[in-house]
Amino acid sequence: EAQVTQNPRYLITVTGKKLTVTCSQNMNHEYMSWYRQDPGLGLRQIYYSMNVEVTDKGDVPEGYKVSRKEKRNFPLILESPSPNQTSLYFCASSLGQGGGYTFGSGTRLTVV
Amino acid sequence: GESVGLHLPTLSVQEGDNSIINCAYSNSASDYFIWYKQESGKGPQFIIDIRSNMDKRQGQRVTVLLNKTVKHLSLQIAATQPGDSAVYFCAEKKHAGGTSYGKLTFGQGTILTVHP
């Protein structure tokens, strides 16, 4: 089944403890992206990648890092999480044509 | 379920009615306009898109209309079913520098509730 898989689905962590949210897609998509979703603010792009070793900042990149060492994986790294990074995170991938992005099921992160 | 928004516009319809969800967009340079559906606890799911040089596109039970003069996008759902209940987001996509990739910029969303 064609899909974007994120892990974990739920995560509670403490301020300052480094964490990684993994994202993997099995559709051979070149384009991958991370979004965060917050009440009243909608979905905002954090980082994106157009191909292996090609990444760039989205609208809200502060406090996040990404890497794209392989085409299928695009992990999101929070080096020192803070409470304002408590959010619902989505990974998405696309072939590029049209508007057809495939989203993962989301990761609910709580930083205390 | 997980809350995806506070104070979002809401639309309540009866099963079998047609639904129209509206969206105003801001970027005249967007290449594609897209509708996504998000059910509770799930990620956004692609419904239909329309290129900026078109004004209407039909899918299965859905029609998207684009009015560039007033920067307005609408999604029409025919014979709405309880399974259509979800939050609907419009999004704009602008291609990046000659490539076919682009960032999605999402609207705030509309909550659609379909009553049996």
Side-chain angles (χ1 to χ4, degrees):
Chain A
E1 180 186 356
Q3 60 186 356
V4 176
T5 303
Q6 295 178 228
N7 280 297
R9 285 296 310 273
Y10 299 92
L11 178 60
I12 301 174
T13 191
V14 296
T15 299
K17 185 178 181 181
K18 180 179 178 180
L19 66 91
T20 299
V21 183
T22 64
C23 174
S24 179
Q25 50 93 4
N26 62 0
M27 296 165 283
N28 202 36
H29 286 173
E30 290 184 343
Y31 183 93
M32 298 186 74
S33 180
W34 277 101
Y35 288 82
R36 61 179 287 174
Q37 186 172 33
D38 303 288
L41 297 175
L43 284 138
R44 295 176 293 166
Q45 190 184 53
I46 304 170
Y47 267 95
Y48 65 94
S49 169
M50 289 194 185
N51 214 326
V52 175
E53 302 292 2
V54 180
T55 64
D56 207 348
K57 297 176 181 178
D59 295 321
V60 287
E62 295 78 19
Y64 304 94
K65 286 175 58 178
V66 292
S67 71
R68 189 88 181 276
K69 293 184 171 58
E70 307 164 279
K71 197 172 189 179
R72 64 181 291 125
N73 295 322
F74 190 45
L76 180 69
I77 303 153
L78 284 73
E79 294 271 2
S80 184
S82 62
N84 65 10
Q85 293 179 297
T86 292
S87 187
L88 180 57
Y89 291 87
F90 289 102
C91 180
S93 72
S94 171
L95 268 177
Q97 296 90 348
Y101 288 66
T102 303
F103 282 79
S105 297
T107 296
R108 169 69 71 182
L109 173 65
T110 301
V111 183
V112 298
Chain B
E2 293 158 339
S3 171
V4 299
L6 296 175
H7 310 300
L8 293 180
T10 60
L11 176 64
S12 292
V13 300
Q14 289 295 127
E15 182 178 1
D17 287 351
N18 297 332
S19 301
I20 300 176
I21 302 171
N22 297 303
C23 176
Y25 66 88
S26 58
N27 189 351
S28 300
S30 294
D31 300 289
Y32 276 90
F33 298 89
I34 311 110
W35 283 99
Y36 283 86
K37 171 186 180 184
Q38 187 174 24
E39 297 173 279
S40 180
K42 297 184 179 180
Q45 178 186 1
F46 172 82
I47 302 173
I48 190 169
D49 63 2
I50 185 168
R51 291 190 69 160
S52 57
N53 61 356
M54 300 171 63
D55 49 31
K56 181 178 180 179
R57 189 175 186 210
Q58 288 183 294
Q60 187 177 10
R61 280 202 308 119
V62 295
T63 300
V64 56
L65 298 177
L66 176 62
N67 185 330
K68 292 180 284 293
T69 302
V70 295
K71 297 184 181 178
H72 184 266
L73 187 70
S74 69
L75 177 71
Q76 300 177 2
I77 305 173
T80 317
Q81 303 165 1
D84 294 327
S85 294
V87 180
Y88 288 80
F89 292 94
C90 64
E92 308 170 47
K93 175 187 173 186
K94 180 166 170 49
H95 288 165
T99 73
S100 62
Y101 304 110
K103 184 182 78 170
L104 292 179
T105 301
F106 285 86
Q108 289 302 301
T110 296
I111 301 171
L112 174 66
T113 303
V114 182
H115 301 283

